Amino acid sequence: STKNAKELEEAAAELNMQILKIGQVFTIRWVSSSFNTVKAVLKDFPVLAHHFQSASEDGSHSGAEKA
């Protein structure tokens, strides 16, 4: 969602990091698309973890969003 994307950008700014766009992993065997997606997740892991932690503690998120 737009709200989650904005919060993720804010988390990246707090950690002085720039996030990579996490693409899709296709069902066909395109190793390069899978590799690029995994590489983006690994690079962005600190930002993602910070965002998920903040969102789970934020009272404005619903239970489904926290999950």
Side-chain angles (χ1 to χ4, degrees):
S1 72
T2 304
K3 179 181 176 183
N4 284 331
K6 185 176 184 326
E7 291 175 353
L8 186 59
E9 289 176 13
E10 291 170 358
E14 286 179 28
L15 298 175
N16 295 320
M17 294 183 71
Q18 182 178 12
I19 56 173
L20 296 175
K21 182 176 180 357
I22 299 172
Q24 296 177 327
V25 176
F26 298 101
T27 55
I28 56 178
R29 297 178 185 184
W30 288 1
V31 174
S32 66
S33 70
S34 300
F35 176 74
N36 288 334
T37 298
V38 170
K39 187 170 67 171
V41 170
L42 287 175
K43 182 200 171 287
D44 296 342
F45 187 79
V47 175
L48 293 168
H50 179 72
H51 169 68
F52 293 143
Q53 181 70 34
S54 297
S56 70
E57 296 170 351
D58 185 357
S60 69
H61 287 85
S62 69
E65 288 176 324
K66 289 180 182 181

